Amino acid sequence: MSRARETLSRHRVSTFVAVTFALTWAYEFGMVYPLAAGQDISSGASVEVMLAIGAAMFFPSIGVALTRLLTGEGFRDCCIKPRPLRKSFPWFAVVWLMMPTLVAAGAAVYYLLFPSDFDPSCAGMATLLMQQAAAAGVPVQLPDGVTIAQLAVAQIALGVVAGPVLNFLPALGEEWGWRGYLALKLIGRMGFVKAMLVSGVIWGLWHAPITALGHNYGVGYPGFPFAGIAAMTVACVAWGTLLSFVTLKTGSCMAAAFAHGSLNALVAAPAFFSVTGGNPFVGPASTGIVGGIAFLIAVVVVLAVMGKRRFPL
């Protein structure tokens, strides 16, 4: 082994983080930012911009592949093939229902605390939909006899049933990197609790350029964009803990990819029923402290169960 490769092999985590951040941020600042100039992606952006943002999800997997090649690690034990079905299948079933349940529970808490913001007719969603359609240049016309509330319910149902599959590939693009590589390496070194904090912070900061464009938290709020980046980082610590947990239980980052795909499909769905559209830092979307309260409770339970446990990874 060459001296350079030997050095890299001793620093696989830092190599992966450096490669993934460099590739992703170069792509986002060099391609996504010029495409998104003058657009607020939180209220609607062109199809080209949204596709460009989605493509960034594949860079963590590219980072894993390059790290394994550069360090001579190879591609054994890639954390993709799950354990035998009798052990892993029940956890895949849990994964399918976990995100919808936590999103719905957080939304219920929010609307119980702020009942005046609940609108079952989804008039607020109708306004947002029109804004997003105008930004994307796509005309919106509902079928005869279909209300915006019925459309919202149908979209949520589709997200619950098909979201994990429809979003699986881009979610796997992230999860092979963050859970299938980074989290597992860190757990083996420092135990579960510390690894979740470190890997979650890294994952949250990786989102920083897109968060600054308005992803999840919008633009122009007090403390922009640093408050949004901080909130996204806290959310990533919480989400990453649950995603790492199911990865360990199944032996495969595919479980995390299904859960991640489900979360992406549903994270903003509770805001469909908000009069005001909600506040991304509060709720009803799961990015907020109240809307995400069920995730925080689930994380506390997982951390209590896992403790400082280490794994031979």
Side-chain angles (χ1 to χ4, degrees), residues 4 22 57 75 88 97 110 113-114 134 152 209-211 213 220 230 244 282 293:
M57 295 177 70
F75 291 89
S88 61
L97 297 175
Y110 173 85
L113 292 176
F114 304 99
I210 300 303
T211 304
L213 278 179
S244 297
V282 180
I293 190 67

Side-chain angles (χ1 to χ4, degrees), residues 186-196 307-310:
L186 292 177
I187 291 169
R189 292 185 183 184
M190 59 183 67
F192 188 82
V193 175
K194 289 182 179 179
M196 294 304 95
K308 298 180 180 179
R309 190 177 307 177
R310 295 173 185 264

Side-chain angles (χ1 to χ4, degrees), residues 145-227:
V146 176
T147 67
I148 197 71
Q150 291 171 335
L151 183 64
V153 171
Q155 184 171 334
I156 291 171
L158 179 64
V160 172
V161 175
V165 174
L166 295 176
N167 294 328
F168 175 75
L169 284 179
L172 184 63
E174 284 200 45
E175 292 306 322
W176 190 37
W178 302 126
R179 256 53 65 182
Y181 194 81
L182 177 64
L184 296 189
K185 297 285 188 189
L186 292 177
I187 291 169
R189 292 185 183 184
M190 59 183 67
F192 188 82
V193 175
K194 289 182 179 179
M196 294 304 95
L197 178 61
V198 173
S199 62
V201 168
I202 291 171
W203 188 31
L205 294 177
W206 176 78
H207 287 89
I210 300 303
T211 304
L213 278 179
H215 179 59
N216 282 339
Y217 295 96
V219 297
Y221 47 81
F224 171 82
F226 302 106

Side-chain angles (χ1 to χ4, degrees), residues 42-135:
S42 63
S43 59
S46 66
V47 174
E48 292 82 1
V49 170
M50 299 313 295
L51 289 175
I53 291 172
M57 295 177 70
F58 291 97
F59 280 104
S61 281
I62 296 173
V64 170
L66 290 175
T67 299
R68 287 180 176 275
L69 290 171
L70 289 170
T71 64
E73 185 174 5
F75 291 89
R76 297 181 64 183
D77 303 321
C78 283
C79 193
I80 293 178
K81 183 180 179 181
R83 295 193 181 95
L85 281 180
R86 63 185 178 83
K87 293 184 177 181
S88 61
F89 179 77
W91 282 103
F92 275 97
V94 168
V95 163
W96 212 280
L97 297 175
M98 177 175 66
M99 293 305 182
T101 300
L102 295 177
V103 169
V109 171
Y110 173 85
Y111 285 121
L112 285 172
L113 292 176
F114 304 99
S116 62
D117 197 34
F118 181 65
D119 177 16
S121 72
C122 298
M125 179 203 174
T127 301
L128 179 62
L129 184 64
M130 296 301 177
Q131 291 175 346
Q132 293 177 337

Side-chain angles (χ1 to χ4, degrees), residues 254-313:
M254 289 198 297
F258 279 121
H260 191 157
S262 178
L263 179 64
N264 283 357
L266 298 170
V267 65
F272 291 169
F273 300 96
S274 170
V275 174
T276 63
N279 183 312
F281 292 92
V282 180
S286 301
T287 55
I289 188 66
V290 177
I293 190 67
F295 283 91
L296 297 178
I297 293 171
V299 165
V300 170
V301 173
V302 167
L303 293 178
V305 169
M306 302 301 285
K308 298 180 180 179
R309 190 177 307 177
R310 295 173 185 264
F311 300 82
L313 301 169

